[in-house]
Amino acid sequence: MAERKIPMRKCLGCNEMKPKKELIRAVKNSEGEVSLDLTGKKSGRGAYICPDKNCFQKARKGKRLEKALDTAIPDEVYDAMAEELNS
């Protein structure tokens, strides 16, 4: 039986390729709202981050999420994302 191909994605914080299921997806929907997608099923443009505080801080400091999603992200959204990562 053939082995299934595991989809790989790059973390915006550490720039490492990891299996998609190990990463958390940040998604921008059609209205331009940015949120974390813990299920990986929301529709919209996605960017991936490790479930690690250090990776999130690197992505935030370098504005990597803003570049990947092509939108300005307010600090309140970043704070809400950090809260979701901590829980």
Side-chain angles (χ1 to χ4, degrees), residues 47-65:
Y48 294 85
I49 303 175
C50 293
D52 179 31
K53 245 195 295 192
N54 293 332
C55 283
F56 181 74
Q57 293 301 329
K58 284 182 187 178
R60 183 176 182 174
K61 185 177 179 185
K63 298 191 179 202
R64 296 176 187 171
L65 272 175

Side-chain angles (χ1 to χ4, degrees), residues 23-85:
L23 300 172
I24 296 174
R25 184 172 182 245
V27 64
K28 178 179 91 168
N29 62 15
S30 59
E31 286 86 42
E33 299 168 347
V34 177
S35 63
L36 284 184
D37 179 15
L38 301 175
T39 63
K41 306 255 186 225
K42 290 183 182 178
S43 63
R45 174 81 176 151
Y48 294 85
I49 303 175
C50 293
D52 179 31
K53 245 195 295 192
N54 293 332
C55 283
F56 181 74
Q57 293 301 329
K58 284 182 187 178
R60 183 176 182 174
K61 185 177 179 185
K63 298 191 179 202
R64 296 176 187 171
L65 272 175
E66 294 181 5
K67 292 173 187 170
L69 298 176
D70 198 30
T71 187
I73 302 174
D75 285 335
E76 300 85 44
V77 174
Y78 274 124
D79 295 337
M81 290 171 138
E83 287 296 318
E84 281 190 62
L85 279 175

